[in-house]
Every structure is written in C-alpha cells, then in structure tokens.
Amino acid sequence: MIEENLVYPVTTGTTAHPGGYAGAMAEFYEASAGRLAGHLAAGRDVVLLAEGDPLFYGSYMYMHDRLSDRFETEVVPGVPAFAAATAGVATPLVRQTDVLTILPGTLPEPELARRLADTDGAIIMKLGRTFPKVRSALEQAGRLDHAMYVERASMPEQRWLPVRDVDPATVPYFSLIVVPGDSVAAEPSGRRTPIQPVVARVATGRAELVVVGLGPGPTPGSPPKPPRSSPTSSTWSATRRTSIGCRSGLG
Ligand SMILES: C[S@@+](CC[C@H](N)C(=O)[O-])C[C@H]1O[C@@H](n2cnc3c(N)ncnc32)[C@H](O)[C@@H]1O
C-alpha cells in the first residue's frame, strides 16, 4: 500500500501566495489531483479517506471535480459531523415540518443572526476564530439559551457544553453548534405550539380502543380541550403515534 498525505497549505493562518487563500488552495488541489491521477493512470486503486461525509463540505469534492470524469469513481457515504454531534448530545434536531439550516460560521454576523432568527433547527460549522461572532449572532437571534457546543464529535475526546459556557480561546477546528428545533417553543415569541400527548377513546360497541399519540397541544394561555368521545380526522392524523393499547380483549 502506498500512502499519500495531502497536507493543506493553509489552515488558520495567512499565506504569502500571490492569489491569497483561494490561490494557494487551488494550486494545492491541482497538485494533489495530479499525484492521484498518476496512481490511477498506472492502474492502481486509490482510496481517499474523508472525515464525515465526503460530499458534505468535504475536501474530497475538489478531487472528485478533477478526477471523476476521467476515472471510475465510487463515493461511500459517511456520517456527517452534525449527525454525530446531535447523537452525542442526544437531543432531537428537527421534527415534522421543522426547517433545518446549516450555516458556516464564516458568514457575516448580520447574516448569521438573520438566518438563525428565521429557522427552527440550526447547525453552525467552521468555528474556531469565528466563535465570538457566532455567539453574538445567536444572542441577537434569541437562540443562545438552547445552543449546544460539541467538540470532536464521535472521537474519544468528544465533549459538549452550552454555548454560553464556552471559552472562545479554546475552540478547535473540529467543533460545531447544535440549535435544536424544539427550542423555538421556548423563545419568548413562542413561534411553535408545544407537542403534547393526544388521547382518543373509541367506543366500538363490544370494546373500547384507546389511541395514544403525540400532537399539537393547546395554545399557551387557552384552557386544554376535553377528550373527544370519538376521533376526528385531526385526532387520527396526529403524527408520532407511540403506542396503541386495546382493552376488553381486542387482542
Ligand atoms: C470541511 S468541514 C468537513 C465536514 C465533514 N465532511 C462532515 O461530513 O461533517 C469541517 C467542519 O466540520 C465540522 N466538524 C468536522 N468534524 C467534526 C467533529 N468530529 N466534531 C465537531 N465538528 C466537526 C467542524 O465545524 C469543521 O469546521
């Protein structure tokens, strides 16, 4: 096995390349593709290891752009960091009609704040030096209280803590922020009706069927509705049914 290390010329620092960061990276990708093409043209198989999913903000894409039309290519899907991070904090990210927005922390602060205020769930990637700006945008959008910072998801050193408690000086490249869609309901504006159990009883003559599900609860401030004697379409269409229990021997 031949091992090729493709080492980035620029990570967090600056570059003296005449084309700046973009110029240095384009040159690096061209040179890397040339090295891999040499192996492929010689009849060798090349495996390019990518972190997370190769087509989700992955550097693999720059090799794909340059080589896949010339050489047979197979892309193996991976678990993206945001899925590993969400699983790590064991918090639902988005459900039902929630909108999920994935944001690079490199966006300008006003754009981050605008997009955060306009979504349910959010993931913010590419932190590091961008962290103070991202934290400020979360605060402006009213989403700071429930935002969770996850570092090195799925690695042995994985750790997570509320964004409020993060020391900006310690934020590494392998980190992101999870803003759960459910936290919209906790905002002062209360954009979402909370999810609450729905119970319907159906009299069938010989037996009683009890359907237990989860659906939109009462609007905050209004009294809860009494249980219905028979189900309506809205009761039946309640999503996320968790169990159906039968009394009187329906089996
Ligand atoms: C160039 S993108 C690569 C994304 C990768 N292809 C994926 O599927 O997640 C790099 C960014 O992904 C995030 N990231 C990657 N791995 C991570 C990890 N293990 N824990 C937390 N964030 C991670 C960080 O925000 C980092 O700045």
Side-chain angles (χ1 to χ4, degrees), residues 51-54 56-59 79-82 124-127 150-155 173-176:
E51 203 259 346
D53 186 83
F56 180 74
Y57 292 113
S59 304
V79 177
F82 80 84
I124 311 173
M125 304 179 54
K126 298 179 196 275
L127 298 179
V150 187
E151 191 178 296
R152 299 188 170 88
S154 81
M155 300 181 190
Y173 176 75
F174 284 125
S175 63
L176 54 75

Side-chain angles (χ1 to χ4, degrees), residues 131 135 149 151 159 161-171:
F131 186 85
R135 188 190 189 284
Y149 163 86
E151 191 178 296
R159 70 175 191 128
L161 58 162
V163 170
R164 270 195 188 286
D165 300 339
V166 174
D167 172 1
T170 66
V171 176

